[in-house]
Amino acid sequence: MHVEIVCSGNICRSPMGEVVLRAKLAEAGLGDVEVTSSGTGGWHVGDRMDPRAAAALRRRGYDGSTHRARQFERAWDRDLILAMDSGHLSELSGTEAQLFARDDVPDPYYGEDAGFDDVLAQIEKAADQWVDRLRDNP
């Protein structure tokens, strides 16, 4: 199975989701699920994760150091596409995308550093729910 997580530029929310979901799947013994991330826009392609996102991940014991931003391509073969907010979901129309979390995951990019910790907490909660779903319905 291949899961793609999508946000705007692939430097904050979706890479955080990728790192967290991958780690939680591995902890649950579901390491055979591939998790990648991308953005709806290409303006950050090749860039590292936003340093504030990487710092929030490090504070919670995750490593996002290898991430490089990519732009989503409809031609990719993905089993599950998860959008970080309803705007991304709209941009992904024509795919079978779903929301990553119950509520939109807000973009922390223009806010304070603490916003990245808040977003990470929301991502961790949603990732736990996806682990349960994927375990029950591989």
Side-chain angles (χ1 to χ4, degrees), residues 61-79:
Y62 302 102
D63 180 10
S65 63
T66 62
H67 176 76
R68 296 297 178 274
R70 304 178 314 148
Q71 184 172 5
F72 179 78
E73 294 185 23
R74 290 180 179 273
W76 290 342
D77 184 24
R78 300 296 190 257
D79 300 296

Side-chain angles (χ1 to χ4, degrees), residues 3 5 7 14 16 29 33 35 37 39 45 49 56-57 61 64 76 88 93 104 108-109 111 118 124 132 134-135 138:
V3 178
I5 304 173
C7 71
S14 60
M16 291 171 78
V33 177
V35 182
S37 65
V45 169
M49 188 182 306
L57 285 170
W76 290 342
H88 304 129
S93 66
D104 285 356
Y109 186 78
D118 295 340
E124 286 180 311
D132 290 342
L134 293 170
R135 181 186 301 118

Side-chain angles (χ1 to χ4, degrees), residues 13-135:
R13 293 172 285 177
S14 60
M16 291 171 78
E18 174 188 350
V19 168
V20 170
L21 183 57
R22 186 182 297 131
K24 289 183 174 284
L25 286 166
E27 287 173 14
L30 299 171
D32 58 334
V33 177
E34 185 175 358
V35 182
T36 53
S37 65
S38 55
T40 57
W43 50 93
H44 290 294
V45 169
D47 291 350
R48 292 181 180 271
M49 188 182 306
D50 183 292
R52 299 166 295 172
L57 285 170
R58 274 193 309 277
R59 285 192 292 276
R60 299 282 296 148
Y62 302 102
D63 180 10
S65 63
T66 62
H67 176 76
R68 296 297 178 274
R70 304 178 314 148
Q71 184 172 5
F72 179 78
E73 294 185 23
R74 290 180 179 273
W76 290 342
D77 184 24
R78 300 296 190 257
D79 300 296
L80 179 61
I81 300 170
L82 301 175
M84 282 295 178
D85 67 32
S86 52
H88 304 129
L89 193 59
S90 292
E91 289 187 54
L92 295 167
S93 66
T95 70
E96 298 206 14
Q98 302 177 47
L99 283 175
F100 182 84
R102 176 170 292 174
D103 298 314
D104 285 356
V105 177
D107 189 350
Y109 186 78
Y110 295 104
E112 301 296 320
D113 289 2
F116 287 84
D117 293 313
D118 295 340
V119 163
L120 180 54
Q122 184 181 2
I123 287 171
E124 286 180 311
K125 182 178 178 182
D128 286 336
Q129 293 169 347
W130 279 110
V131 168
D132 290 342
R133 285 167 135 175
L134 293 170
R135 181 186 301 118

